């Protein structure tokens, strides 16, 4: 039997100077390690995998929390606030942006 070649799929995603490594469960920005909780990591992972696309509150809730979860309506807002403090605070270029009335997007502003 022959074996298939190695997969070229990567577990490292980037947006500007932000790097997320799924396999190592590590996040860095400009070479500095960022410590995230499991849910913060899951939300950031979703954002970086969909960078440039606006994700609604419902899309984030359904992807990170399960469908049966009956949480409060501001849980995503709270986690976005946590991520902004950890990922964007202290940097001139902000990566997490709110699209008013729609949701959030991860992108590097030009």
């Amino acid at each position: 039997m022959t074996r298939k070649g190695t997969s070229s799929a990567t577990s490292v995603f980037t947006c500007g100077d932000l790097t997320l490594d799924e396999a190592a469960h590590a996040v860095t920005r400009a070479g500095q390690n960022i410590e995230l909780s499991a849910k913060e990591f899951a939300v950031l992972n979703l954002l970086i995998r969909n960078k440039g696309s606006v994700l609604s509150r419902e899309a984030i809730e359904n992807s990170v929390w399960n469908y049966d979860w009956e949480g409060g309506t501001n849980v995503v807002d709270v986690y976005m606030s946590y991520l902004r403090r950890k990922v964007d605070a202290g940097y001139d270029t902000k990566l997490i942006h709110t699209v008013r009335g729609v949701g959030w997007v991860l992108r590097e502003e030009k």
Side-chain angles (χ1 to χ4, degrees), residues 3-66:
R3 294 181 181 224
K4 291 185 177 184
T6 58
S7 173
S8 63
T10 181
S11 66
V12 178
F13 299 91
T14 61
C15 180
D17 59 353
L18 177 71
T19 303
L20 182 141
D21 185 342
E22 281 184 317
H25 200 82
V27 177
T28 59
R29 177 136 191 217
Q32 300 294 316
N33 287 330
I34 300 172
E35 296 294 324
L36 299 178
S37 71
K39 288 294 184 193
E40 291 167 344
F41 187 86
V43 172
L44 185 60
N45 190 15
L46 181 65
L47 287 169
I48 206 163
R49 284 176 159 270
N50 294 283
K51 74 178 175 185
S53 299
V54 179
L55 297 175
S56 69
R57 176 178 286 108
E58 294 78 22
I60 295 170
E61 283 178 350
N62 290 339
S63 294
V64 175
W65 290 268
N66 65 27

Side-chain angles (χ1 to χ4, degrees), residues 64-92:
V64 175
W65 290 268
N66 65 27
Y67 290 101
D68 298 328
W69 186 73
E70 297 280 337
T73 58
N74 73 336
V75 70
V76 176
D77 300 274
V78 170
Y79 276 88
M80 295 310 289
S81 174
Y82 293 160
L83 282 176
R84 280 194 168 120
R85 270 188 238 134
K86 293 181 178 184
V87 171
D88 281 343
Y91 295 95
D92 292 332

